[in-house]
Amino acid sequence: EGPIEQKTVADISIQPYPLLKEFEWADLDLNNVEDRDEVFKLLYENYVEDADSTFRFKYSSEFLDWALKPPGYKKEWHVGVRVKASGRLIGFIAGTPADLQVRSKPVKAVEINFICVHKKLRSKRLAPILIKEVTRRVNLQGIFQALYTAGVVLPSPVSVARYNHRPINWGKLHDVGFSYLPDNVTKTQMIAKYTLRNEGKLKNLRRAELKDFDQVFTLLTKFQSKYELIQDFTRDELKHWLFGDNTLSNDKKVVHTFVVEENDRITDFFSFYLLPFTILDNPAHNELGIAYLFYYASDAEFDESDSAKAQALLKKRLTDLIGEALIIAKSLGVDVFNCVSCQDNNLFLQDLKFGEGDGILNYYLFNYKSRIISGGLDDDKHVDYGNVSKVGVVML
Ligand SMILES: Cc1c(C(=O)c2nccn2C)oc2cccc(OCCCNCc3cccnc3)c12
């Protein structure tokens, strides 16, 4: 296992990758509101939709600030393409710094995400050129590995996971065509099945505060040490990912983090991020509120001696913990709570009534040879409820 191609910065061209003559590379600065709004508009109108174009991701400007400007980010890794004649932004791809550990081996890498080409300019082979240019700019900084995900199957994924959804507002999900009514079941029964109480059962659960950060950092680092693919966070990075922009009011926050505190000790925490879908041409609803499970940890002891008992204890702790996340997400107007089959999620999916989605998420490690890492699926790529994954990294 390890890097495939050994390159050095000296091998990397200092010239931008050649573009078709009607296009030019854009020098974006997402601290500049105009640039950030251009990226926002390009994604809003042209980014990933579901298979039958019912929904489109609705990345807010606050989300892009959070997702694209973590500590150590480089503006050169926010790569745009403009039409020379009009100056319109028609292509984008982003790299953000992400030191990984692959089976405990440190891998300096970037995460590549948000690749987008304007709908009217598809099949002009711009996507591969965007990937080559962001790779060149990352290589110039001495980084030669990358992590990215895609729904499509490309050569050799390092892991494969599956989407899971926990309906919160089943009626609305049914109205917009996301949830279906099974045979011999009434709508009332489906709504009753997914009804959540307004109050959780973990009494000492509260919103995380900066004073909790040291314990949360320690708890997550220990909890994640069992996974084979993780992001090796610096303190500043994790603070950014879990607290985001601390000046935002709770209703504007993109990421929400909660802790369980017992006798001045943080025993568990969880986080989720909010990323709605625009619902395309539906008279009754124009937005789908979606929460995505992000990082979490529990100090449920994992005693090597009786691993079955330990796993049962962890299952109970995580089920109660993420059960609270569902209730909080509901209070924030979320319609469906999403997670993939990674981390220890398979332990609570069934009890918390998550349904297996038809989306598959492939994880790729660019220029790094690694044996397959379990993404929590069986040989048919269905969720393996009896086994947990070894993937700890969560991609936005
Ligand atoms: C996307 C997504 C969806 C949906 O498409 C969806 N939910 C409700 C209705 N729909 C149609 O459901 C998920 C569940 C877990 C993780 C996910 O995504 C994980 C992060 C995705 N990273 C970016 C990305 C986006 C699209 C394709 N590849 C990568 C998703």
Side-chain angles (χ1 to χ4, degrees):
E1 294 201 328
I4 295 169
E5 207 185 348
Q6 303 287 359
K7 282 193 286 191
T8 67
V9 174
D11 307 325
I12 309 303
S13 162
I14 55 170
Q15 291 304 322
Y17 199 82
L19 269 171
L20 305 175
K21 64 183 182 325
E22 66 259 42
F23 300 120
E24 64 186 0
W25 292 113
D27 175 18
L28 291 170
D29 178 349
L30 297 187
N31 286 322
N32 170 324
V33 176
E34 284 80 41
D35 286 7
R36 192 194 63 191
D37 287 353
E38 274 189 288
V39 171
F40 163 72
K41 189 169 176 294
L42 175 71
L43 292 175
Y44 182 78
E45 292 168 355
N46 301 279
Y47 196 52
V48 181
E49 297 171 2
D50 64 310
D52 35 18
S53 292
T54 315
F55 312 104
R56 188 185 303 142
F57 274 105
K58 186 177 182 185
Y59 287 100
S60 66
S61 300
E62 290 84 5
F63 189 98
L64 293 176
D65 274 341
W66 177 65
L68 297 177
K69 295 192 286 181
Y73 85 93
K74 300 220 178 320
K75 67 185 279 295
E76 298 76 18
W77 298 352
H78 297 149
V79 180
V81 173
R82 293 184 189 285
V83 174
K84 256 187 201 146
S86 63
R88 266 167 63 94
L89 186 73
I90 52 92
F92 182 72
I93 189 167
T96 50
D99 287 350
L100 305 173
Q101 280 192 18
V102 183
R103 290 195 179 85
S104 310
K105 271 191 204 155
V107 180
K108 261 188 95 50
V110 294
E111 274 177 13
I112 298 296
N113 207 338
F114 302 104
I115 183 166
C116 181
V117 171
H118 195 286
K119 279 172 180 282
K120 293 199 178 62
L121 293 163
R122 300 280 163 91
S123 76
K124 276 193 172 259
R125 311 289 301 149
L126 276 170
I129 295 175
L130 278 165
I131 292 170
K132 284 184 171 67
E133 178 60 5
V134 75
T135 301
R136 185 189 69 86
R137 296 186 188 193
V138 166
N139 289 169
L140 280 178
Q141 300 292 328
I143 297 176
F144 297 97
Q145 272 71 39
L147 175 67
Y148 55 100
T149 59
V152 291
V153 183
L154 304 164
S156 56
V158 65
S159 189
V160 186
R162 184 179 278 273
Y163 292 174
N164 298 276
H165 315 281
R166 204 289 181 185
I168 292 180
N169 185 345
W170 187 87
K172 179 174 173 184
L173 295 176
H174 181 254
D175 288 350
V176 303
F178 177 67
S179 295
Y180 298 100
L181 186 59
D183 298 341
N184 313 321
V185 180
T186 65
K187 284 189 190 177
T188 311
Q189 286 169 318
M190 290 306 278
I191 290 166
K193 172 179 177 183
Y194 293 114
T195 299
L196 290 164
R197 297 182 311 284
N198 288 328
E199 287 304 307
K201 59 176 162 183
L202 291 186
K203 53 197 176 309
N204 33 29
L205 176 81
R206 63 174 168 77
R207 196 175 271 279
E209 296 164 43
L210 280 176
K211 69 180 172 64
D212 305 314
F213 179 69
D214 287 348
Q215 289 192 69
V216 166
F217 183 82
T218 306
L219 190 62
L220 180 67
T221 306
K222 185 168 185 300
F223 187 78
Q224 294 238 18
S225 62
K226 65 186 169 194
Y227 297 132
E228 296 176 350
L229 173 61
I230 60 169
Q231 183 165 351
D232 187 5
F233 296 106
T234 65
R235 304 169 60 75
D236 282 349
E237 284 173 337
L238 188 64
K239 200 173 289 182
H240 171 82
W241 292 120
L242 294 184
F243 290 95
D245 176 346
N246 238 359
T247 65
L248 292 175
S249 59
N250 286 350
D251 63 312
K252 290 287 279 183
K253 275 185 187 306
V254 168
V255 59
H256 296 262
T257 301
F258 288 78
V259 294
V260 176
E261 180 179 28
E262 261 163 48
N263 319 322
D264 293 332
R265 217 160 54 75
I266 306 292
T267 56
D268 312 78
F269 88 93
F270 65 78
S271 57
F272 57 79
Y273 61 88
L274 300 176
L275 173 55
F277 266 125
T278 304
I279 303 173
L280 307 170
D281 56 50
N282 178 296
H285 307 283
N286 58 23
E287 188 168 307
L288 199 59
I290 308 186
Y292 291 80
L293 184 60
F294 201 41
Y295 288 100
Y296 61 82
S298 170
D299 74 353
E301 273 318 300
F302 193 83
D303 62 342
E304 306 303 324
S305 60
D306 180 350
S307 62
K309 181 165 136 286
Q311 188 144 68
L313 177 70
L314 180 61
K315 177 183 171 90
K316 167 89 174 83
R317 286 281 282 276
L318 293 183
T319 303
D320 289 350
L321 196 65
I322 308 305
E324 298 292 332
L326 298 177
I327 290 169
I328 292 164
K330 177 186 167 192
S331 73
L332 292 168
V334 165
D335 298 311
V336 57
F337 197 103
N338 282 348
C339 72
V340 289
S341 53
C342 294
Q343 299 158 293
D344 289 279
N345 298 350
N346 291 2
L347 292 177
F348 57 73
L349 293 177
Q350 289 176 303
D351 291 357
L352 291 181
K353 300 176 186 168
F354 279 79
E356 193 179 69
D358 50 21
I360 291 282
L361 198 59
N362 298 290
Y363 291 75
Y364 299 98
L365 264 177
F366 180 78
N367 190 22
Y368 194 88
K369 190 166 168 46
S370 153
R371 292 189 311 279
I372 299 267
I373 295 173
S374 164
L377 304 185
D378 61 23
D379 296 345
D380 306 331
K381 290 192 185 177
H382 286 290
V383 176
D384 182 353
Y385 294 104
N387 285 300
V388 288
S389 86
K390 290 293 180 192
V391 173
V393 68
V394 181
M395 294 286 284
L396 299 181

